[in-house]
Amino acid sequence: MKNCLVFTLVLFCSVASRAQVTLERCKELARDNYPVIKQYGLVEQSRRLTVENAAKAWLPQAVVSGTASYQSDVTSIPISLPDVDIPALGKDQYDVNVTVNQQLYDGGTVASAKRIANAQSDVEREKVNVAIYDINQRIDELFFGVLVLDEQIAQVRVLQDDLSLSLASVEAMMKSGVANQTDVDAVKVEQVKASQRETALLTQRKTYLRMLETFTGEKFGDGITLVKPSSEHSIAADNKRPELGLYAAQERLLDTRLKALDADLRPRVGVYARGGYGNPGLDMFNDGFDAYYKIGVTLSWNFGSLYTRGNDRRKLDAERQTVQSERDAFLFNTRLQTELQDGRIESLRKQMELDDEIITLRQRIRSKAETKVANGTETVNEMLRDINAVSDAQLSKRLHEVQLLQEIYKVKHLNNL
């Protein structure tokens, strides 16, 4: 029996824990479920492949080539020696060879290509971070939308309880001759209207939950309870939005591209080996097919990049100024939005300080309503108006509490707190 009770308690706690979900949990599930998350792996795969391809420039490069030609004239020796037959070169020539080049010094081109590949991948990764962060705002809207509906549903149910008590009171008055059937019907009309309101709110809540399930990939069920997040609010000191990481990554990419311009000015040194078979071979005066080989060192130095270097640097400077301008505009707009949200938070706090006073006054008026109806100094419709006024005041307080939370989390989203 004891074990059965323990099992029942554990099961109850497990079910209870599953029936509640927090805002942060919804965001975690949404990030994991969002299709863009797959781009992280694709970015890293692209980074690895690009860096590997750049490094392969250090591997020996083999080239196979072949030529066959017929020319109108060939080199000849313009002298004649007695008893000496100087053979004439053939006008048709053939050559097949394999050349293997090994780079010894590339001026830093490969290293620059690797750095650019890594910097570009960092930019793409930050873009993914920005895209995924944007989903947080959509989760906030849905989550707090459900919380607002929950408060409205709870308040309409309180109103239904009040109307049930009022109906019993009015029916008792009708039996004593103080009220009539019209008064009873008036209360019942308010009950039907409250029931309609509850049905509409429940339907809307179900819709919000289905949208939340689509984002998170989880099945919550209509009975799920969303836990109210903390109302702690602190002034944003530093903006930690992923957009700032994107701007920083873009500037690092520009720095890397600027350094790569220097590599274009440096010489290239390499060695090569060539083996071939042709007619003629290396000996031009040997009329016949022959094998040959060559080994040597190559040095090349292209100064053509000097012509465009100035424009390339200015172009990179212009791109840097664009990035800095976008970052400054982002920070400026974020500060404005944060100040606006702080003002709304302060306004809601002041309104909430008066909510309790309004509710107390409305309840005081409501408490005298039935007595006035019984004494004939107030109609049932006026009593229903007082009941609705209390309900509206209570609902206003509930909504202000949720709205305050929502505004606080807008500030947190604006600054990634």
Side-chain angles (χ1 to χ4, degrees), residues 105-109 112 115 259-268 300-302 305:
Y105 176 69
D106 69 343
T109 302
S112 293
R115 287 193 292 267
K259 292 179 181 178
L261 296 179
D262 296 334
D264 294 336
L265 293 176
R266 300 188 184 111
R268 310 290 190 267
S300 62
W301 203 333
N302 186 355
S305 59

Side-chain angles (χ1 to χ4, degrees), residues 328-379:
D328 292 342
F330 171 78
L331 290 173
F332 179 79
N333 291 330
T334 302
R335 282 197 301 271
L336 284 181
Q337 290 176 320
T338 300
E339 290 173 0
L340 177 62
Q341 294 304 130
D342 287 339
R344 290 175 177 174
I345 290 172
E346 182 64 23
S347 175
L348 284 168
R349 291 192 187 279
K350 291 180 179 179
Q351 292 180 57
M352 290 174 61
E353 291 176 359
L354 300 175
D355 280 336
D356 289 332
E357 183 178 352
I358 294 173
I359 291 173
T360 300
L361 293 172
R362 287 294 184 187
Q363 287 176 335
R364 189 181 302 169
I365 296 172
R366 160 72 179 85
S367 64
K368 304 295 183 181
E370 290 183 5
T371 303
K372 290 181 179 180
V373 171
N375 294 333
T377 58
E378 185 175 295
T379 66

Side-chain angles (χ1 to χ4, degrees), residues 36-48 121:
V36 177
I37 196 72
K38 298 177 182 178
Q39 293 186 20
Y40 278 125
L42 297 177
V43 169
E44 291 305 315
Q45 182 180 4
S46 177
R47 181 204 302 266
R48 178 177 57 82
S121 295

Side-chain angles (χ1 to χ4, degrees), residues 294-313:
K294 284 183 179 181
I295 58 174
V297 179
T298 60
L299 171 64
S300 62
W301 203 333
N302 186 355
F303 296 98
S305 59
L306 284 173
Y307 303 134
T308 61
R309 181 178 175 85
N311 287 338
D312 290 337
R313 290 179 65 93

Side-chain angles (χ1 to χ4, degrees), residues 58-90:
W58 288 107
L59 296 177
Q61 308 295 315
V63 179
V64 178
S65 63
T67 61
S69 66
Y70 182 86
Q71 55 197 57
S72 61
D73 201 359
V74 293
T75 303
S76 61
I77 299 178
I79 60 175
S80 177
L81 299 175
D83 302 326
V84 177
D85 184 16
I86 300 177
L89 298 177

Side-chain angles (χ1 to χ4, degrees), residues 66-75 89-96 277-281 284 287-289:
T67 61
S69 66
Y70 182 86
Q71 55 197 57
S72 61
D73 201 359
V74 293
T75 303
L89 298 177
K91 292 185 178 181
D92 55 327
Q93 297 183 2
Y94 309 90
D95 180 63
V96 177
Y277 185 73
N279 180 18
M284 295 292 295
D287 186 16
F289 283 90

